[in-house]
Amino acid sequence: MAEKSFKYIILGGGVSAGYAAQEFASQGVKPGELAVISKEAVAPYERPALSKGYLFPQGAARLPGFHCCVGGGGEKLLPESYKQKGIELILSTEIVKADLAAKSLVSAAGEVFKYQTLIIATGSTVLRLTDFGVKGADSKNILYLREIDDADNLVEAIKAKKGGKAVVVGGGYIGLELSAALRINNFDVTMVFPEPWCMPRLFTADIAAFYETYYTNKGVKIIKGTVAAGFTANPNGEVKEVQLKDGRSLEADIVIVGVGAKPLTALFKGQVEEDKGGIKTDAFFKTSVPDVYAVGDVATFPLKMYGDVRRVEHVDHSRKSAEQAVKAIKAAEGGKTVEEYDYLPFFYSRSFDLSWQFYGDNVGDSVLFGDSNPSNPKPQFGAYWIQGGKVVGAFMEGGSGDENKALAKVAKARPDAGSLDDLTKQGISFAAKI
Ligand code: FAD
């Protein structure tokens, strides 16, 4: 079978892969030195677009509009740009076997790829209700969203079931963004999730109350405290009803499930050290195996400012970790080192006319500030998290560019919070003074 050798291989064709390729290109790679291998059929793109602009009823985002690295303000790497930069882009190629000791990867078609240095950028895959044995979960039109093919299936289903009924299972950011997208497409939307409020991993009850009322005002129905326990299909095998654990049932033409993701590390099981469900790395994204790096969603890395190790499934980290790994690889070749990764967690989401950003850590007490009345035409509010007397996390809905910069600054500086009443009164001006 065909065998190809490269100095560097980036395994994966998502966000980290795009940013790693860009960093290699900007540092200079010789033709034929670098390959990007992806099971997707398209060049690396900005994944967050799939649950946002990609689903707009008019003026929807389409490739090549959102190839990496436009989201980070960088150059757009079109499929042909890889060739021009001497990078081999190997698409529609799933790696099914990795032998880290032999430095080789084998594709589903049996091709062998050898490398000197490997960057693992395989990202995450969605959790499926079929994995949990939910009855009828394999019916047609029960959809998930991770890759562009999934987004295309969703777009098709939206067209086929025009103005129908959609049930969104899951109350995280995917559930919130997809509920909004379906509502904008004129679907009758019901969200179902087991927790007492939406986005419980980040939102406080107060923050969630704003979004839930806003969504309700937009016509999205929200059912909390229960889960989808089974599905019934019509004679064509298409989902027609969702049975909830609390005994209720909901009609559905489309069901979208966003109940979480798991990092794709299975190829490397037993070959590399793992931690917290991901591949353990140092501050340069080096794994326990020489010449093997892991970046993006799969990496469990030292989060220096919290003296902790974490895995982060957000686009900002996937970009920055990829750049850091390539910088470290190139520096090491010149006998140099780069500074340790010192990451400030950052996450954002957009839906309807809303847009929020969060920086830092959501631990300890929290205070809400600003105007969180969902009926106001331009609500603008935020929250701080306070631990050990210091502001450690900052959130804002509807913040301006400068206000969002101030959030980042305050979360990084971790200043004394002072009195919580005062902090609430000062609101964003507290962060703006940092
Ligand atoms: P990915 O981008 O998932 O890329 C992994 C790549 O590896 C894929 O191309 C995959 O096909 C490929 N691959 C995996 N296994 C193999 C194999 N065996 N062989 C070959 N190729 C393989 N984050 C935010 O901060 N804000 C947002 O608004 C936001 N929105 C999102 C919306 C959606 C719909 C999704 C799915 C994620 C969103 N995220 C968001 C999260 C963010 O996109 C991810 O954290 C980021 O994409 C991770 O980058 P990655 O390169 O690690 O993985």
Side-chain angles (χ1 to χ4, degrees):
M1 214 4 125
E3 184 176 302
K4 283 187 166 180
S5 288
F6 297 93
K7 186 167 181 192
Y8 315 104
I9 288 182
I10 300 169
L11 174 55
V15 176
S16 309
Y19 283 73
Q22 172 64 35
E23 185 61 34
F24 269 120
S26 75
Q27 299 227 12
V29 276
K30 296 198 191 86
E33 270 189 346
L34 169 63
V36 176
I37 304 179
S38 176
K39 75 176 160 60
E40 289 188 83
V42 297
Y45 56 90
E46 303 284 359
R47 195 163 305 286
L50 297 184
S51 52
K52 305 176 183 70
Y54 206 81
L55 304 175
F56 286 172
Q58 270 107 36
R62 285 291 176 272
L63 290 176
F66 59 99
H67 277 300
C68 295
C69 304
V70 287
E75 183 190 348
K76 190 197 289 178
L77 293 179
L78 298 168
E80 56 271 27
S81 317
Y82 288 82
K83 204 173 184 139
Q84 283 153 9
K85 291 175 188 295
I87 302 169
E88 195 156 335
L89 185 59
I90 303 170
L91 300 175
S92 304
T93 300
E94 183 176 10
I95 295 301
V96 293
K97 192 167 172 270
D99 184 339
L100 299 183
K103 295 192 156 189
S104 84
L105 306 172
V106 183
S107 74
E111 300 140 294
V112 177
F113 300 97
K114 296 276 204 183
Y115 59 82
Q116 292 171 35
T117 299
L118 174 68
I119 300 183
I120 301 171
T122 44
S124 305
T125 186
V126 290
L127 297 176
R128 293 179 180 270
L129 294 180
T130 43
D131 299 341
F132 305 109
V134 177
K135 208 172 128 256
D138 55 354
S139 307
K140 287 184 200 150
N141 292 332
I142 299 183
L143 303 168
Y144 297 81
L145 180 59
R146 181 76 205 179
E147 299 194 340
I148 202 147
D149 287 353
D150 304 320
D152 287 336
N153 289 339
L154 182 50
V155 169
E156 280 308 306
I158 288 173
K159 274 194 206 137
K161 300 291 176 187
K162 209 163 181 277
K165 289 190 163 61
V167 173
V168 175
V169 178
Y173 76 91
I174 293 277
L176 284 164
E177 290 185 3
L178 291 179
S179 296
L182 285 159
R183 191 68 205 110
I184 294 167
N185 278 283
N186 232 357
F187 273 73
D188 175 344
V189 182
T190 306
M191 283 183 84
V192 181
F193 52 88
E195 296 90 355
W197 63 79
C198 65
M199 274 292 286
R201 276 161 66 182
L202 173 63
F203 290 175
T204 61
D206 290 345
I207 297 177
F210 166 85
Y211 291 96
E212 289 177 11
T213 309
Y214 188 99
Y215 271 56
T216 307
N217 291 346
K218 289 277 185 191
V220 175
K221 286 163 246 165
I222 299 179
I223 299 180
K224 303 190 255 187
T226 190
V227 294
F231 301 91
T232 324
N234 67 19
N236 298 329
E238 295 175 333
V239 67
K240 76 169 204 290
E241 201 181 69
V242 184
Q243 284 91 38
L244 303 183
K245 200 173 173 192
D246 68 6
R248 279 184 274 184
S249 60
L250 304 168
E251 283 177 56
D253 299 302
I254 300 182
V255 173
I256 303 193
V257 184
V259 295
K262 60 173 184 236
L264 280 170
T265 57
L267 279 174
F268 315 100
K269 277 269 174 281
Q271 302 188 58
V272 64
E273 260 182 62
E274 293 191 36
D275 196 5
K276 296 189 174 167
I279 299 174
K280 190 177 171 188
T281 76
D282 64 11
F284 310 99
F285 295 98
K286 240 177 155 161
T287 70
S288 60
V289 177
D291 305 320
V292 178
Y293 292 71
V295 296
D297 282 8
V298 292
T300 302
F301 63 96
L303 222 162
K304 195 174 173 183
M305 57 184 289
Y306 303 133
D308 194 5
V309 295
R310 292 200 195 165
R311 207 168 59 72
V312 171
E313 289 181 358
H314 299 152
V315 71
D316 178 61
H317 160 71
S318 65
R319 294 169 180 156
K320 290 181 174 150
S321 58
E323 288 165 357
Q324 169 76 350
V326 176
K327 284 186 178 132
I329 291 167
K330 295 299 266 184
E333 287 172 1
K336 298 198 187 105
T337 52
V338 291
E339 277 185 32
E340 288 182 342
Y341 193 61
D342 186 7
Y343 185 63
L344 171 70
F346 163 54
F347 186 37
Y348 71 91
S349 178
R350 287 194 299 270
S351 59
F352 292 119
D353 291 330
L354 303 171
S355 171
W356 58 257
Q357 299 205 353
F358 167 77
Y359 294 84
D361 221 5
N362 58 319
V363 290
D365 297 327
S366 65
V367 295
L368 201 70
F369 63 81
D371 171 11
S372 60
N373 179 352
S375 306
N376 283 356
K378 264 208 164 304
Q380 219 205 15
F381 73 99
Y384 294 118
W385 280 261
I386 303 102
Q387 196 183 43
K390 309 226 176 262
V391 174
V392 293
F395 168 95
M396 195 158 176
E397 166 58 47
S400 66
D402 282 346
E403 286 166 338
N404 289 331
K405 274 191 201 137
L407 295 181
K409 262 186 153 175
V410 78
K412 185 83 188 169
R414 284 177 285 171
D416 286 332
S419 102
L420 297 192
D421 276 352
D422 233 31
L423 192 58
T424 310
K425 272 192 213 118
Q426 287 191 56
I428 190 63
S429 62
F430 178 88
K433 278 186 277 185
I434 303 297

